[in-house]
Amino acid sequence: MSKVAQNPAAATLTNPTAQTVAALLPKLQDADSDFRFMALNDLFTALTHGTPSFLLQDYNVSARAVDGVLKTLDDQNGEVQNLSIKCLAPLSTRVPAGILPPMLEKISNLSTPNSVDNSIPSTALRTVVTSFPRPVRGTIYDKATDDAYAAISKVLIPRLVGYLPIPSNVQNLPIPPKGMLEANRSKGVDPDSIEVLIEVIRCFGIMLQNKEISALQKAIMAILDEDRSSMVVKKRTIVALSLLAHYFTDEVLSTFISHLIESFRNPHLTLPHRRLLLNIIGSLARSIPRKFGPHLKTLAPFVLGALSELELDEQMDEIYEGSEPNSQTDEVREAALVALEGLLASCSNEMRGYTEISIAAAVRFLTYDPMLSNGESDGQDMDTDEDGADANGFAGEEDFEEEAGFSDDDDLSWKVRRCAAKVLYTIISTRASGDLLENGILYERVAPVLVNSFKEREENVRLEILSTLGSLIRKTGEGAAVLNSISMNDSHSVLISLPHGRKRRRGSSDAHGADTQAPRVLISPVAPPPPATGPRASLAQLTPSIVKGTAKLLEGHSTPTKQAAITLLRDIVAVQHGGLSEYMNQIINPLIDAVKSVGSHQGGNMAPLSSGGGAAAATGSSLKIEALMLIGAIAETHPSSVLLPYLQYIVPGVSLAVKDKFFKTSGEAVATVEQLIKVMTPPRCAAPNQAEEAHLNTLYEVLANRVAANDADLEVRRLAIRALGVLLARTSGAESIRLLSKTKRYAALDILYERLKNETTRISAILAVDAVAVLTLSKDAFPPNWVKKVTLELGSQLRKTDRVLRGASLSALKNIIVNPAGIQSLDTATMQELSGYLYPLLSANDIQLLGPALIVLANLVQSNAAKIAGKDMKNALCNLALAPLRGAALDALLLLVKNIGEAGVGKSLMKGLLGDVGVHGDPATVGRAIGTLLVYGNDTIGYSVNDFVNELENAGDDQRRCLALAVLGEACFRLGPGSPIEPETFIKHFNSNSDKMPLPAAIALGRAGAGNAQKFLPIILDTMDKAGNSQYLLLHSIKEILQHANDSDTNIKPYSKQMWEKLLPTSQAEDNKAVGAECIGRLVVVDPKTYLPLLQARLKDKKAGVRGMAIQAIRYTLADTDESYDEMLRPALIDMIIIMLGDSELDNRRLALTTLNSATHNKPQLILPHLGRLVPLVMKESFINPELIREVQMGPFKHKVDDGLEVRKSAYETLYALLETSFSRINVGELYDRVIVGLDDEHDIRVLCNLMLLKLIALDPEETLRRLDMISERFRLILTTKIKENAVKQEIEKLEATIKGVLKVSYHLNSSFPTAAATVLGGQHQLWKTYWEAVKKDYATQLKIIEEDSRDKGGWGGIKIERDTEA
C-alpha cells in the first residue's frame, strides 16, 4: 500500500478541493506560531498540487483564503511571514478573477505594525505580480492574462501614481489614497515601491496603455526631480525608466527628451542633478538604442560637455589656487563617461560624428589625477633616469603617495580614469575592425597613452588599462593565423585534428605524395616578414615601450597585475608571431618566478584568463598557467637561438610545473614542454649540443613519469603522450638520434604501445605514433617487433564504430606503411592480417577513409603483391568500382590498380572488372581502372588495347561502348605518344544516333589528348570550326586537356594562341558559356602573362554576354594555382573585380559576387588589403531594390517576383565568406546591420544570416551581446508567422526549417550569454529576456532536441566555428 493511501491527509493535500482549503483557514489564526506555519505549509501544498480551476467555482472560500493569507503577512513570526508570501504565488493564479482587484488593493494598503520588516507589503505585491500569467509580444493574450492586467490597471497602477490614469465610467468612486511613488515628507520615496513598479513594467509593460505609460513616466520623473530621494532610490528609478522606455510612443519619448534638454540647460543645474541626467542618457541608450539614437545629435553634446577640456581647465585652475578637489565633479565625469560608453556601444552609427571628441575626452581623463601637485600627468614616454626610476614616477609610486600627503579615501579620480579606459575599450571593440584600426588613429592617439598609463597607482584602473591595450592588440591580429597553444579546454579537439594538406591540382594523380604529409604538430613555424605599414607595423613600433612597461609591472606588483601583464605580452606574441627576441633578458626572470610560484586554486574553478575580469580574480595558479602559456608561445614563434641561452632556467621551472597537483597547471606545463622540445631539436635547432641533450633527457623523464602516473589527470596524460610522441619523432632523424639513448627510446615506444591499448588514452597514443612514423628514418629508431604490434593494434581499431578513432588509426597506419623503415619491418603474415582490416573500408560511403586505405593497400601490394593481391582484394575493388569516385579517392584507387598491374598479378582483377562489374559500375571509375590496368599490366592480364577498340566498334549496346571509350581514353593518357589510337576513333562518335555516346566520347578524347597533345590538339582545334553540337563536345575535350596542362608530359603552349582564338567565339553560344568560360580560365593560367590582359579587356566589352563569360573565366583562374600566378594576378585582380561589380547587367553582378567569393577563399592574401574598396560594393548589393520587384499575374492571383533576389543572395554568401577569412577588415557594425536586416528577407538569405550569427557569437561576442534585442525582435516575428491555409508543401517545409534555424541560433545565443536572460540591468536586453522566456515555454521539446544534438556534436550543432589555427 502506498504512503499516500496510508495517510488520508496527504492524499487530500495532493488532490485538494475547496473544502480542503476551507478546513485549513481557521488554523491560520491559531495562537501557536508552529500551528500557523504548518497550516500555511499545508495550504501551500494544496495550492501547488491542486488543479488550476479547483477554487474558481467557490468565490467564498477563495475570498476567505485571500483574507487569511493576508492577515498572516503581519505575523510576528518571520518564518510564517515568509511562507505567507510564498503562498500568494499559487493562490493568485487559482482564485476567481473578481478577487484579484480587491486582493491587490488590500496588499497595497496593508499595514504591518507587528512586523519588523516594513518591506513585506511590497514583497507580497511583487510576488503576486510576477506569478500572474505574462503577455507575450506577437501572440493573442488568453483570458487569465487579460484578467491579471485588468486588476493591475484598475488597482495597482492607480495606487502607484495616486490617481486614475484612465477615468472610470463608474460614478462616485472613492479618491485613491496617496500614491506609493509619491514622496513622504520625512522619508522621501519608499524604495520598495520602486521595486513594485519595476516588476509591473517588466511583466506587463507590453499591455500598458498610453495614458498609463504617461502617468508612470511622470511619476518617475517626479522621483528623479525630488531632492529628498536618495541616490539608491534614483538609481532604481532609472532602471524602471529604462524598462518603461521600451513602450514609449514617439510623442512621449520626444516630450521626455525635451524635458532632459531643458534640465541640462537650466542655469541652476546642480552637480548631483547633472550626474542623474547623464545616468538617464546612458541607461536609455542601452535600453532603447534604435529609438534613442536619432536624438543623440541634441543629447550627445551634453554628455561630451561634461568631459570638455574647458571644464577640466577650470577645475585645475581652482586646484592650483588652493581649492580642494570636489568629489561631486568627479562623480559627474564618471557618469558622463559611463553614459558615453553606453552611447558608443549601443548607438555606434549615430556616434560616428563624435568619434574624435570621444577619443579626446577618454584620453584626457585616462591621465586625469587632480591630486598630482605638478599637474603633469600626461607624459608620452617611458624613459627612465640614471637610477632606473621612471621619469613619470613609475618606479617610485609608493614614495610619491607618501610625499603628496593625501588620502586615497578622499580621491575618487580613479573611478574617472577607470571609466575612461572602459570608453577606449568600447571604441576599440566597436570601431577598430575595418575602421579606426586601418586609418591609424588608435595607434597614433590611444595606444601611446595606454602604455604611458602603466604607471597608474590604482590597481583596478591599471587592470582596465592593460585589458584595453590587450583588446587593441587582439583586434590588430584578428583574421590572421594564431598560435597552436593548447589549453585544457580544447586539448582534445586539437589532439584529434588530422593534418590538412594544400589543395591539390585536379589533374594530379600523385595520390601517394599528396596524402603523406607530416602532421601539423611537427611543422616548424616561419615568422612572417614585418609589414611596412598598417596596424601590425604600428604595433611593432610600439612593442619596445610595451615590453619596458610590462617588465616593470612584473616586478613587485600584485598577482592580478602580473597576470594581466603576462597576458598582454602573450597577445603581442600571438599577433606578431614573435616580437620579443630583443627583450628576453627583461622578462625571462619574472616569468620563471611566476612559474615557480606557489599556486592556489579553489575546487578547480578559476576565473577566465586573458581578460580584465580574469586578471582581477587572479590566483597563484592562474598566474602560473598564464606564464607557462607565454613561455610556450615564445618557444613556438621565436628562433631557437633566442631560447637556448635561457633553457637552463626555463626547463627546471617548467619541469616542476608539470608535477603540479592542479591539473590545469600541469596540463599547460606539458604543452609548454612540447614547444621546448621543438626548440631543442632539428630542424629548429640544427646542431644540438650536450646542454640541449641534457635538457631533453630531463624532459623525457618528466613526460614518462606523467604518462605512467595513475594519479595524473586524464587530460594531462593525454597531453604528455602527445609531447612524448613529439620528443621521439624529433629525435629520430640522422642528426638528432643521438640525443636520446636506445634504451630510453624503446622504453618510450613501449609506453606508447601500452597506452594504445588503453581506451582512455588511445587517441593520444595514435597521434603520437603518427608523429613518430612521419619523421623516423632509421630502422634503429623503428624496432620491427614494435612496428608489427602497433600496426596490428591500429588495424584492429579500424573495426570500431568511433569514426574519429578510425580516422586517426588509418592516418597513423598510412604513415607507418609509406615509411620505408616501417614497411620493411612487416612480415607477410602481418601484411595479410592488416589487409583484412582494410577491406571493409573500401566503400564509397566514407570517402575520407577510403583514400588513405587505398594508399596503404597500394604500398602493401608494392611490397608483397603475390600474397596481398588475392581474391579478397579483387572482390573489394570490384565492389568499390560500382560506385562513382572522383578526386583523391579515384587517384588512390588508380595508384593501387597501377601497382597491381606492375606486379604482374592483375589478371584476376581484370576479369572481375570486366565480368563482375562491367557496365553495372560507374563508367568513369571502371573505365579508368581498366585503362590503367591495361597499360601497366602489359601482357600479364590477357587483354590489349585493340580488344577494346574492337569492343567499341562491334558492341551491341551503348553502355558497353561508353565503357570502351573510357578505357581507351585512360589507356591513351597513360601510354602518351606511344598510343596507337587515332583521334578519329573518338570524334566519329560525336554524331552517334544515341544521345549517350557523344559526351563520353568527348571526355575520352580529351583524356587521350592530355597524354599526347601534339597529336590530338591540332585535330581538335581544326574540328572546332564546324558549327553545331560538336563545338560543345570539343570544349569538354579541351577542358580535360587543360586540366593536365601543368603535367610534364602535356605541353600545350605551342597551341595556346590558336586555342584562345577558337575559344572566344565558340563560348558565345548559350550552351557553351559555362564550359567555354572554364576553358578560357584554365588557358589563362597556362600563360597568364599573355592572356590575363586580354581577358581583362573583355570585361569592358559592349556585349553583356562577353562580359559575363569573362567574369566566369576569371573565377576559374582562382583555384588550384600557385604563387607564380598570384604574382601575375596581384596587380590586376582588384581592378577586375571592381569593374565586374559595377556591371550594368544584373546577372553579371551575380557572377562577379561569385567570383569575389571564390577569390576570398582561394586568394585571401590578394583580397585582404583592398577590402575597404570591395566590401561597400558587396554591401550595396545586399539591399532590397524595389525597382527589381514586379508583379506577375498567375491565374486569378498576383504574385510578386524579386529579380534581385539571386544577386542579394550572392552578396550574403560573399559576406559569409569574408566573415570566415577577413573578419578583422570588415566594419562589424555595418555587417551586423545587414545580418539583422537579412533575418527579414527570403528563406535562403535567412539561413545564411543564421549561420553568420553563429560565427559572430565566437568572432565578436561583445557586438553580438549588444545586438540581442534587435535579434530577438526579428526572431519573434519569424516564430509568430502563421502559415496560410492554402500554403503548398514547399512553403510549409521552408517555414519549419526557418523556425528550426531560429531556435538553434537562439539556443546558442542563450548558451553564450546566459546572464542576458537571467538578469535585467538598467533595462538592457529586456526584449531578449522576454523573448527567451517565451521560447522556453512554447518550444521546450525542440530546444531539448537541439541541446542534445549540440552536446553530441561538440557544442555547436555540427557547425564548425573556429579561427585559423595553423601556425
Side-chain angles (χ1 to χ4, degrees):
M1 186 179 294
S2 67
K3 292 183 179 180
V4 173
Q6 294 175 0
N7 189 348
T12 303
L13 292 177
T14 55
N15 189 21
T17 62
Q19 289 72 25
T20 306
V21 175
L24 292 172
L25 296 179
K27 300 178 183 179
L28 298 179
Q29 309 304 322
D30 196 282
D32 191 333
S33 61
D34 290 339
F35 281 93
R36 298 196 300 273
F37 181 86
M38 293 165 59
L40 279 172
N41 189 60
D42 290 343
L43 178 61
F44 178 76
T45 303
L47 293 172
T48 304
H49 290 86
T51 61
S53 60
F54 85 101
L55 286 179
L56 292 180
Q57 305 303 321
D58 199 326
Y59 190 95
N60 183 37
V61 172
S62 299
R64 289 170 54 204
V66 169
D67 290 339
V69 173
L70 293 185
K71 286 181 181 179
T72 57
L73 288 174
D74 191 30
D75 199 285
Q76 294 179 346
N77 187 295
E79 293 182 354
V80 173
Q81 285 182 313
N82 292 336
L83 191 54
S84 176
I85 293 174
K86 191 177 179 181
C87 287
L88 283 173
L91 180 62
S92 60
T93 60
R94 284 165 172 75
V95 297
I99 291 180
L100 296 180
M103 180 176 73
L104 289 175
E105 184 177 4
K106 289 178 181 179
I107 298 176
S108 64
N109 293 315
L110 183 66
S111 176
T112 55
N114 296 322
S115 174
V116 178
D117 188 357
N118 295 326
S119 66
I120 290 295
S122 297
T123 305
L125 278 175
R126 289 180 6 235
T127 302
V128 172
V129 171
T130 54
S131 66
F132 284 154
R134 301 181 190 179
V136 177
R137 187 190 295 268
T139 62
I140 300 175
Y141 309 139
D142 56 20
K143 184 178 183 302
T145 304
D146 287 333
D147 292 339
Y149 167 68
I152 289 174
S153 178
K154 182 179 179 181
V155 176
L156 191 52
I157 293 179
R159 278 293 291 119
L160 287 169
V161 300
Y163 61 93
L164 293 174
I166 303 176
S168 175
N169 295 327
V170 181
Q171 301 295 325
N172 300 321
L173 281 175
I175 299 174
K178 184 179 180 180
M180 296 169 62
L181 298 177
E182 294 183 32
N184 186 293
R185 289 185 178 181
S186 58
K187 299 181 180 178
V189 179
D190 181 11
D192 296 319
S193 301
I194 306 297
E195 301 301 328
V196 175
L197 173 63
I198 290 174
E199 291 303 329
V200 169
I201 300 172
R202 189 171 67 87
C203 298
F204 289 90
I206 191 175
M207 297 184 73
L208 293 177
Q209 301 179 52
N210 290 338
K211 291 183 178 180
E212 292 171 330
I213 292 173
S214 180
L216 292 175
Q217 181 247 333
K218 291 177 181 178
I220 287 173
M221 291 309 300
I223 297 172
L224 294 175
D225 292 336
E226 176 60 55
D227 294 335
R228 288 173 295 176
S229 300
S230 66
M231 186 53 65
V232 174
V233 169
K234 290 184 177 182
K235 285 183 177 180
R236 295 301 295 167
T237 305
I238 292 175
V239 172
L241 175 64
S242 62
L243 291 171
L244 186 64
H246 284 284
Y247 314 107
F248 280 179
T249 61
D250 293 339
E251 182 181 355
V252 172
L253 181 60
S254 298
T255 303
F256 178 76
I257 297 297
S258 299
H259 178 76
L260 281 180
I261 295 171
E262 292 175 4
S263 300
F264 272 115
R265 290 174 177 171
N266 185 350
H268 304 291
L269 180 64
T270 63
L271 289 176
H273 195 58
R274 188 183 188 187
R275 173 190 176 191
L276 184 68
L277 295 174
L278 292 169
N279 286 335
I280 292 173
I281 291 177
S283 182
L284 290 181
R286 291 181 174 89
S287 176
I288 51 170
R290 282 201 301 167
K291 290 182 178 180
F292 198 67
H295 299 278
L296 289 184
K297 290 183 179 179
T298 310
L299 293 175
F302 294 114
V303 177
L304 295 167
L307 304 171
S308 66
E309 189 172 8
L310 178 62
E311 290 195 12
L312 178 60
D313 290 342
E314 291 176 356
Q315 180 200 8
M316 298 308 295
D317 290 341
E318 292 176 359
I319 293 176
Y320 293 153
E321 293 172 2
S323 300
E324 290 293 329
N326 188 348
S327 61
Q328 290 186 343
T329 304
D330 288 342
E331 290 175 351
V332 169
R333 289 180 176 138
E334 179 189 2
L337 287 166
V338 171
L340 180 59
E341 181 191 359
L343 296 177
L344 291 167
S346 303
C347 310
S348 56
N349 289 334
E350 291 80 1
M351 288 296 293
R352 282 182 173 271
Y354 302 98
T355 300
E356 293 291 328
I357 305 175
S358 300
I359 292 176
V363 168
R364 182 182 305 123
F365 286 98
L366 186 66
T367 58
Y368 165 71
D369 195 343
M371 305 306 293
L372 289 178
S373 58
N374 57 8
E376 299 293 334
S377 60
D378 58 348
Q380 296 296 317
D381 55 35
M382 295 290 291
D383 297 334
T384 57
D385 56 24
E386 294 180 359
D387 297 329
D390 184 65
N392 292 307
F394 186 92
E397 58 184 69
E398 295 179 0
D399 295 337
F400 163 76
E401 292 183 11
E402 293 175 2
E403 293 173 2
F406 66 89
S407 171
D408 283 342
D409 296 336
D410 300 327
D411 178 27
L412 298 179
S413 64
W414 67 271
K415 294 184 178 180
V416 177
R417 296 194 297 276
R418 184 181 63 180
C419 290
K422 290 183 177 181
V423 169
L424 291 175
Y425 185 95
T426 302
I427 291 173
I428 291 169
S429 64
T430 58
R431 297 288 306 281
S433 300
D435 194 352
L436 299 180
L437 194 62
E438 299 300 323
N439 60 25
I441 289 179
L442 292 179
Y443 273 104
E444 290 174 7
R445 299 185 54 188
V446 176
V449 182
L450 288 172
V451 175
N452 188 58
S453 297
F454 285 178
K455 66 182 184 298
E456 171 62 48
R457 50 193 172 84
E458 284 289 338
E459 183 168 60
N460 286 335
V461 184
R462 191 188 307 127
L463 293 177
E464 199 66 50
I465 290 169
L466 290 169
S467 176
T468 302
L469 185 57
S471 174
L472 175 58
I473 293 172
R474 289 190 296 275
K475 283 288 183 180
T476 304
E478 278 183 355
V482 294
L483 300 180
N484 283 336
S485 300
I486 300 171
S487 67
M488 293 303 296
N489 293 329
D490 62 1
S491 60
H492 185 62
S493 63
V494 174
L495 281 171
I496 65 175
S497 62
L498 298 179
H500 298 278
R502 185 177 176 87
K503 191 176 181 180
R504 294 188 302 113
R505 292 186 54 80
R506 285 185 59 184
S508 171
S509 61
D510 187 12
H512 184 285
D515 292 302
T516 56
Q517 299 180 15
R520 187 185 309 166
V521 67
L522 300 178
I523 299 175
S524 298
V526 178
T533 59
R536 294 175 188 273
S538 300
L539 176 59
Q541 295 172 4
L542 193 65
T543 298
S545 299
I546 296 176
V547 175
K548 185 184 293 185
T550 51
K552 294 180 180 179
L553 293 178
L554 291 173
E555 298 175 359
H557 279 273
S558 64
T559 296
T561 295
K562 289 181 179 180
Q563 179 172 316
I566 292 173
T567 302
L568 188 66
L569 291 174
R570 190 161 61 88
D571 289 336
I572 292 175
V573 173
V575 172
Q576 296 192 142
H577 296 280
L580 299 184
S581 299
E582 301 175 6
Y583 317 105
M584 288 298 295
N585 58 338
Q586 300 181 43
I587 64 174
I588 196 65
N589 288 332
L591 283 181
I592 299 302
D593 292 341
V595 169
K596 292 182 177 180
S597 63
V598 179
S600 62
H601 59 278
Q602 298 176 354
N605 295 324
M606 192 168 49
L609 302 178
S610 303
S611 67
T619 64
S621 292
S622 64
L623 173 64
K624 186 182 297 188
I625 291 172
E626 201 68 30
L628 288 166
M629 292 173 73
L630 176 56
I631 293 174
I634 293 172
E636 183 180 359
T637 56
H638 289 70
S640 295
S641 57
V642 174
L643 268 294
L644 292 179
Y646 304 100
L647 288 179
Q648 56 182 320
Y649 312 110
I650 295 175
V651 170
V654 174
S655 300
L656 185 64
V658 172
K659 303 173 185 177
D660 196 283
K661 294 182 179 180
F662 187 32
F663 74 98
K664 290 186 177 181
T665 304
S666 180
E668 198 57 56
V670 172
T672 305
V673 166
E674 179 181 331
Q675 299 301 331
L676 294 176
I677 290 171
K678 296 176 184 178
V679 168
M680 293 183 282
T681 53
R684 292 274 296 276
C685 181
N689 56 29
Q690 292 183 348
E692 280 80 62
E693 182 178 352
H695 294 321
L696 286 171
N697 280 273
T698 300
L699 296 179
Y700 167 84
E701 297 293 342
V702 171
L703 292 175
N705 291 336
R706 279 288 93 180
V707 173
N710 293 324
D711 59 340
D713 182 80
L714 177 59
E715 285 299 322
V716 174
R717 275 187 286 169
R718 286 174 174 171
L719 290 170
I721 291 170
R722 169 191 168 115
L724 186 61
V726 171
L727 175 59
L728 291 174
R730 301 286 285 227
T731 58
S732 298
E735 307 88 358
S736 58
I737 194 169
R738 60 178 177 80
L739 298 175
L740 201 64
S741 67
K742 182 179 291 188
T743 302
K744 289 183 177 180
R745 183 181 306 279
Y746 286 5
L749 291 174
D750 289 337
I751 291 175
L752 293 184
Y753 175 67
E754 293 300 322
R755 289 301 172 187
L756 187 62
K757 295 189 293 184
N758 188 303
E759 185 175 357
T760 60
T761 57
R762 183 170 290 143
I763 287 285
S764 304
I766 290 173
L767 269 293
V769 169
D770 197 359
V772 173
V774 169
L775 293 187
T776 299
L777 302 177
S778 171
K779 291 190 68 173
D780 292 337
F782 228 11
N785 291 333
W786 182 84
V787 174
K788 293 176 186 177
K789 293 188 298 183
V790 168
T791 300
L792 294 178
E793 184 64 31
L794 291 172
S796 67
Q797 304 307 318
L798 299 178
R799 295 182 175 178
K800 300 292 177 65
T801 57
D802 187 342
R803 190 174 181 281
V804 172
L805 175 62
R806 287 189 295 153
S809 300
L810 187 57
S811 175
L813 263 178
K814 181 193 67 178
N815 285 324
I816 291 176
I817 298 303
V818 300
N819 189 325
I823 197 168
Q824 292 173 13
S825 302
L826 302 181
D827 54 24
T828 301
T830 304
M831 291 185 181
Q832 289 178 324
E833 186 174 353
L834 179 58
S835 301
Y837 290 129
L838 292 167
Y839 292 145
L841 299 181
L842 302 188
S843 169
N845 295 331
D846 196 336
I847 295 297
Q848 289 185 338
L849 297 182
L850 173 60
L854 289 169
I855 291 173
V856 173
L857 287 171
N859 283 272
L860 292 177
V861 167
Q862 194 174 35
S863 178
N864 194 343
K867 298 294 183 181
I868 303 301
K871 182 178 179 182
D872 291 339
M873 178 174 286
K874 183 209 75 170
N875 293 336
L877 293 180
C878 288
N879 290 331
L880 181 61
L882 293 171
L885 298 178
R886 300 291 183 272
L890 179 57
D891 292 340
L893 173 63
L894 298 180
L895 175 65
L896 174 56
V897 171
K898 173 187 173 183
N899 289 351
I900 292 174
E902 289 179 336
V905 292
K907 188 173 184 178
S908 173
L909 177 60
M910 179 63 84
K911 289 182 179 179
L913 291 173
L914 290 174
D916 300 338
V917 182
V919 297
H920 303 294
D922 177 63
T925 304
V926 179
R928 292 188 63 179
I930 294 175
T932 302
L933 191 58
L934 189 66
V935 171
Y936 294 102
N938 296 319
D939 299 333
T940 62
I941 59 173
Y943 293 90
S944 66
V945 172
N946 291 331
D947 293 332
F948 288 95
V949 173
N950 295 332
E951 177 76 5
L952 177 62
E953 300 297 333
N954 303 320
D957 60 88
D958 293 339
Q959 289 181 319
R960 292 171 59 189
R961 291 159 65 195
C962 288
L963 179 60
L965 283 170
V967 171
L968 291 174
E970 185 67 20
C972 289
F973 172 73
R974 300 282 178 176
L975 289 170
S979 171
I981 299 176
E982 298 295 327
E984 185 60 27
T985 304
F986 304 100
I987 293 176
K988 66 183 180 181
H989 293 284
F990 284 10
N991 299 318
S992 173
N993 294 329
S994 171
D995 58 353
K996 297 180 180 180
M997 290 291 294
L999 187 58
I1003 295 174
L1005 174 64
R1007 190 75 179 161
N1012 191 0
Q1014 293 82 358
K1015 180 177 181 180
F1016 279 73
L1017 253 181
I1019 297 176
I1020 292 174
L1021 294 174
D1022 291 341
T1023 311
M1024 286 189 72
D1025 292 331
K1026 299 179 182 178
N1029 190 45
S1030 61
Q1031 288 185 343
Y1032 173 78
L1033 297 172
L1034 291 170
L1035 285 174
H1036 279 278
S1037 300
I1038 292 176
K1039 184 182 77 171
E1040 286 291 325
I1041 294 173
L1042 288 171
Q1043 287 177 353
H1044 297 272
N1046 284 353
D1047 291 356
S1048 57
D1049 297 332
T1050 306
N1051 182 18
I1052 67 168
K1053 285 191 176 182
Y1055 312 98
S1056 60
K1057 182 178 180 180
Q1058 187 181 0
M1059 288 175 67
W1060 177 265
E1061 294 172 350
K1062 299 282 187 182
L1063 287 173
L1064 285 178
T1066 305
S1067 301
Q1068 298 308 304
E1070 189 64 30
D1071 293 340
N1072 298 347
K1073 280 185 178 179
V1075 63
E1078 183 175 355
C1079 291
I1080 292 172
R1082 294 188 179 279
L1083 180 59
V1084 169
V1085 175
V1086 173
D1087 189 1
K1089 187 175 181 180
T1090 302
Y1091 299 112
L1092 189 58
L1094 297 177
L1095 182 61
Q1096 188 176 3
R1098 293 299 186 280
L1099 294 174
K1100 299 179 181 179
D1101 196 283
K1102 294 180 179 180
K1103 296 181 180 179
V1106 175
R1107 298 197 304 270
M1109 178 272 299
I1111 294 171
Q1112 284 184 288
I1114 291 171
R1115 178 161 59 92
Y1116 287 111
T1117 69
L1118 299 174
D1120 305 331
T1121 49
D1122 55 21
E1123 288 76 8
S1124 60
Y1125 175 73
D1126 291 353
E1127 293 306 314
M1128 296 292 300
L1129 185 64
R1130 189 185 303 275
L1133 178 62
I1134 302 303
D1135 290 337
M1136 288 194 295
I1137 291 177
I1138 291 176
I1139 292 173
M1140 291 186 287
L1141 291 173
D1143 198 285
S1144 58
E1145 286 292 321
L1146 199 64
D1147 193 54
N1148 284 353
R1149 293 205 302 274
R1150 180 187 63 81
L1151 293 173
L1153 288 167
T1154 306
T1155 302
L1156 176 56
N1157 196 337
S1158 177
T1160 301
H1161 283 293
N1162 295 288
K1163 309 292 180 186
Q1165 72 279 9
L1166 305 184
I1167 296 295
L1168 275 175
H1170 306 281
L1171 283 182
R1173 300 166 62 191
L1174 297 174
V1175 171
L1177 299 176
V1178 179
M1179 293 282 190
K1180 178 182 176 182
E1181 298 296 341
S1182 69
F1183 285 82
I1184 296 177
N1185 187 352
E1187 297 177 358
L1188 298 176
I1189 300 176
R1190 53 190 172 88
E1191 282 191 350
V1192 177
Q1193 191 77 27
M1194 299 182 67
F1197 305 104
K1198 289 185 177 180
H1199 180 65
K1200 287 188 176 181
V1201 177
D1202 187 355
D1203 293 329
L1205 177 60
E1206 289 301 319
V1207 177
R1208 204 160 63 250
K1209 180 181 174 183
S1210 296
Y1212 275 98
E1213 289 173 345
T1214 305
L1215 289 176
Y1216 181 75
L1218 292 172
L1219 191 65
E1220 290 186 309
T1221 59
S1222 320
F1223 173 71
S1224 64
R1225 306 299 180 92
I1226 304 175
N1227 186 299
V1228 183
E1230 293 180 0
L1231 175 65
Y1232 238 119
D1233 288 342
R1234 301 317 308 153
V1235 173
I1236 298 294
V1237 172
L1239 293 173
D1240 294 331
D1241 213 316
E1242 296 294 330
H1243 172 74
D1244 291 341
I1245 295 177
R1246 282 178 177 174
V1247 171
L1248 286 169
C1249 290
N1250 283 335
L1251 292 173
M1252 293 168 76
L1253 280 176
L1254 286 174
K1255 286 192 173 294
L1256 285 166
I1257 292 173
L1259 293 173
D1260 198 335
E1262 294 173 347
E1263 185 67 23
T1264 304
L1265 184 62
R1266 284 190 283 269
R1267 302 282 185 147
L1268 279 182
D1269 283 351
M1270 295 183 184
I1271 295 171
S1272 66
E1273 287 183 315
R1274 263 62 179 193
F1275 281 0
R1276 178 184 56 77
L1277 291 174
I1278 294 173
L1279 295 180
T1280 55
T1281 301
K1282 301 299 181 184
I1283 196 70
K1284 298 178 182 178
E1285 293 182 0
N1286 59 348
V1288 298
K1289 181 181 178 182
Q1290 186 180 14
E1291 292 176 328
I1292 297 174
E1293 291 176 347
K1294 279 187 176 181
L1295 181 60
E1296 291 175 349
T1298 301
I1299 291 175
K1300 183 178 180 181
V1302 165
L1303 293 176
K1304 187 173 188 177
V1305 178
S1306 300
Y1307 168 79
H1308 289 301
L1309 285 169
N1310 183 69
S1311 301
S1312 301
F1313 313 108
T1315 57
T1319 58
V1320 181
L1321 179 61
Q1324 198 173 10
H1325 310 315
Q1326 170 67 11
L1327 295 179
W1328 170 259
K1329 177 179 173 65
T1330 305
Y1331 162 78
W1332 180 247
E1333 288 177 350
V1335 168
K1336 286 195 298 183
K1337 177 182 177 182
D1338 299 336
Y1339 297 94
T1341 304
Q1342 293 94 321
L1343 287 176
K1344 186 176 181 180
I1345 295 173
I1346 292 172
E1347 181 180 4
E1348 292 174 353
D1349 183 61
S1350 176
R1351 191 184 304 117
D1352 293 340
K1353 295 181 179 179
W1356 287 99
I1359 298 177
K1360 191 177 181 182
I1361 299 180
E1362 61 181 13
R1363 300 189 188 182
D1364 185 12
T1365 57
E1366 186 171 355

